[in-house]
Amino acid sequence: MGGLRKVLFLLLFLPLSAVGQINTDRVMLMGRNALYYEDYVLSIRRFNMVIAAKPYLAEPYFYRGLAKFYLEDYTGAEDDCGAAIDRNPFLPDNYELRGLCRINLGHYRDAIADYDKLLGIDPKNESALHNMTLCYLQLKDYGEAVNCVDRMLRYWPKNASLYTLKAQAYLAQKDTTETLKAIDQALDLNPYEGQAWSMKAAVYANRGDYKQAEEALDKTIQQMPKVAGNYINRALARFHQRNLRGAMNDYDTALELDSANYIGHFNRGLLRSQVGDDNRAIEDFNFVLKWEPDNMIALFNRALMLNNTGDYRGAIRDINAVIKVFPNFWTGFQFRAEVRRKMGDTKGAELDEFKVLKAQMEKRYGGKKSGNAKSTRKVSDRTMEDYDKLVEADEDEDNNAPT
């Protein structure tokens, strides 16, 4: 407040010829104050006034771009940063903000170009190097990502998180030897590096060593107890070891932390169905279908549970919807035949059974089995024959955010 009083004092006592200059500065200060208090629309209005009066200044374009960035108008913010750079190409903040805008727009090559220019001005800008690494990871240019991390390690060799980032690049290339080497370097520097333990668990899980994966996830959860994904991953490790109770407990915890987690609800629903907790399994599948009404695997599983609880009409409704989308899903026809018999619809049941029998005959003469032999499936895999398999995250899911 002292600075603002000083500006007002100068306005009162300076000559009239200087008032125009000070008024512009005052409006600029008002815009920055509005920006600080997160009134982005008001701040944009103030910066518009400054730009109208003095369009050759870089500063109001940068701050207006910053306000637009917070309003998630990344295209407008990118344009304003460009205008600021045109007027003064030597300010690193302009390149840093435009780089973030371009990342949010998915323009990773352009973002890298901005970070290159920024690093030409400020070679030790850690956030620029980190975000550049993430851009290369998004582009699957893993060699350059490793080079960026090595560049950071020259400046900050004791930063354990950098080795974790390096491990991520190696893991994306499926180079588990280098991944584990980088992880061990991270943990030597900081045994409490939760992300490193998480990645170590991923390596073990990919190898099928679920016991060691669980132990690594225990360490991860000690350091990152509020991350739902850690419990989801440990639940899968426990499931593969047939520790269903432990897996169920982890899904419960994950959903307490993230009530909208798709994997948590779907997998918990399957586990509940396996232990005969049909009504609560239906609740989980209801949640999945609320967010994904066209998820036929969840719909079929709900049909199975509705049948178990005696809601035959609901089961028929759900299986009809599944068969309409997947007319060659013979398990669905067999199930519908069973439900129809329970309802007294013998003719309808026989029609379904005949279709199944005909399909089995055709399959015997050259057909091939669909589905996969694994006990889990990826989120993106919607093969109906895998309806009874727990889901795990797709390998290309991105959990990194620019800083």
Side-chain angles (χ1 to χ4, degrees):
M1 291 299 294
L4 182 57
R5 290 194 189 96
K6 183 177 180 182
V7 170
L8 293 174
F9 177 84
L10 289 172
L11 263 175
L12 291 172
F13 293 97
L14 279 173
L16 288 176
S17 60
V19 169
Q21 173 67 33
I22 296 298
N23 277 340
T24 305
D25 291 344
R26 180 189 175 193
V27 174
M28 188 71 194
L29 180 62
M30 292 167 65
R32 291 180 65 174
N33 284 341
L35 189 61
Y36 177 81
Y37 288 107
E38 301 181 7
D39 191 343
Y40 304 123
V41 174
L42 178 60
S43 69
I44 288 172
R45 290 175 185 164
R46 300 297 185 228
F47 298 132
N48 285 344
M49 294 169 64
V50 178
I51 289 168
K54 296 185 177 179
Y56 51 84
L57 293 178
E59 188 180 30
Y61 283 100
F62 168 77
Y63 283 111
R64 187 174 72 176
L66 185 58
K68 290 179 179 179
F69 176 84
Y70 287 128
L71 289 171
E72 300 183 9
D73 177 11
Y74 303 120
T75 301
E78 181 186 18
D79 291 341
D80 275 346
C81 289
I85 289 168
D86 289 341
R87 287 155 178 78
N88 187 344
F90 304 108
L91 295 177
D93 287 349
N94 294 325
Y95 296 106
E96 186 162 14
L97 179 58
R98 190 168 69 174
L100 285 173
C101 294
R102 288 173 165 178
I103 286 174
N104 280 282
L105 291 168
H107 303 160
Y108 301 113
R109 289 286 177 198
D110 291 336
I112 288 169
D114 274 335
Y115 291 128
D116 271 332
K117 291 175 182 175
L118 190 161
L119 291 165
I121 302 168
D122 180 10
K124 290 188 177 183
N125 190 304
E126 187 174 4
S127 66
L129 285 164
H130 184 270
N131 288 350
M132 183 184 284
T133 305
L134 296 184
C135 287
Y136 280 123
L137 288 174
Q138 286 289 340
L139 293 167
K140 296 180 168 45
D141 191 343
Y142 304 119
E144 284 300 327
V146 170
N147 289 339
C148 278
V149 176
D150 286 338
R151 187 172 170 183
M152 284 189 276
L153 285 170
R154 288 198 293 270
Y155 297 127
W156 307 284
K158 301 298 184 183
N159 188 334
S161 65
L162 296 180
Y163 287 101
T164 304
L165 188 59
K166 192 174 185 179
Q168 184 182 329
Y170 285 129
L171 185 61
Q173 300 176 79
K174 304 188 186 307
D175 186 345
T176 54
T177 301
E178 289 298 326
T179 299
L180 287 173
K181 180 181 175 182
I183 289 172
D184 288 340
Q185 288 174 304
L187 294 173
D188 284 343
L189 288 168
N190 180 11
Y192 307 107
E193 176 73 11
Q195 191 62 39
W197 284 113
S198 176
M199 293 186 66
K200 197 165 194 172
V203 173
Y204 288 137
N206 287 338
R207 290 178 173 179
D209 189 347
Y210 298 110
K211 184 176 186 299
Q212 284 198 285
E214 182 181 356
E215 291 172 357
L217 283 162
D218 289 342
K219 300 277 191 180
T220 305
I221 288 170
Q222 285 178 9
Q223 307 308 321
M224 304 161 65
K226 299 299 183 183
V227 179
N230 294 332
Y231 296 95
I232 296 289
N233 292 336
R234 191 172 68 177
L236 277 173
R238 288 176 165 178
F239 167 77
H240 283 293
Q241 298 175 80
R242 305 311 301 163
N243 180 4
L244 300 188
R245 185 179 297 277
M248 190 87 77
N249 289 338
D250 274 342
Y251 286 128
D252 287 342
T253 304
L255 291 168
E256 286 174 6
L257 295 168
D258 178 11
S259 61
N261 190 290
Y262 162 82
I263 293 177
H265 278 288
F266 186 91
N267 287 354
R268 188 174 69 177
L270 280 184
L271 290 183
R272 283 174 166 175
S273 70
Q274 290 181 25
V275 299
D277 192 354
D278 298 328
N279 286 310
R280 293 209 296 168
I282 290 171
E283 291 175 6
D284 277 324
F285 293 127
N286 283 344
F287 183 91
V288 173
L289 290 164
K290 176 182 177 181
W291 294 101
E292 291 188 351
D294 59 347
N295 189 321
M296 295 296 109
I297 293 181
L299 195 62
F300 182 62
N301 276 286
R302 187 174 71 177
L304 294 173
M305 295 303 98
L306 291 172
N307 173 56
N308 289 348
T309 58
D311 184 358
Y312 303 131
R313 290 187 181 279
I316 289 290
R317 177 200 64 220
D318 283 354
I319 190 56
N320 284 346
V322 172
I323 289 173
K324 183 177 181 181
V325 177
F326 293 97
N328 296 321
F329 180 44
W330 307 118
T331 303
F333 282 97
Q334 186 65 54
F335 171 69
R336 188 170 68 179
E338 294 173 9
V339 180
R340 281 177 165 174
R341 283 197 180 279
K342 290 178 181 179
M343 299 176 69
D345 183 6
T346 304
K347 182 178 179 180
E350 289 176 347
L351 286 172
D352 281 340
E353 288 165 349
F354 177 75
K355 289 178 182 178
V356 173
L357 179 61
K358 183 180 177 183
Q360 289 173 340
M361 294 287 289
E362 292 173 353
K363 184 177 180 181
R364 185 177 301 171
Y365 297 101
K368 61 180 182 178
K369 185 178 166 110
S370 56
N372 67 71
K374 292 180 63 179
S375 57
T376 60
R377 64 179 176 86
K378 299 295 184 183
V379 170
S380 57
D381 179 8
R382 297 299 173 92
T383 304
M384 281 304 303
E385 284 73 15
D386 294 334
Y387 68 89
D388 58 346
K389 295 179 179 179
L390 269 67
V391 294
E392 53 184 88
D394 293 320
E395 291 179 3
D396 60 349
E397 278 192 8
D398 177 43
N399 295 318
N400 300 302
T403 57

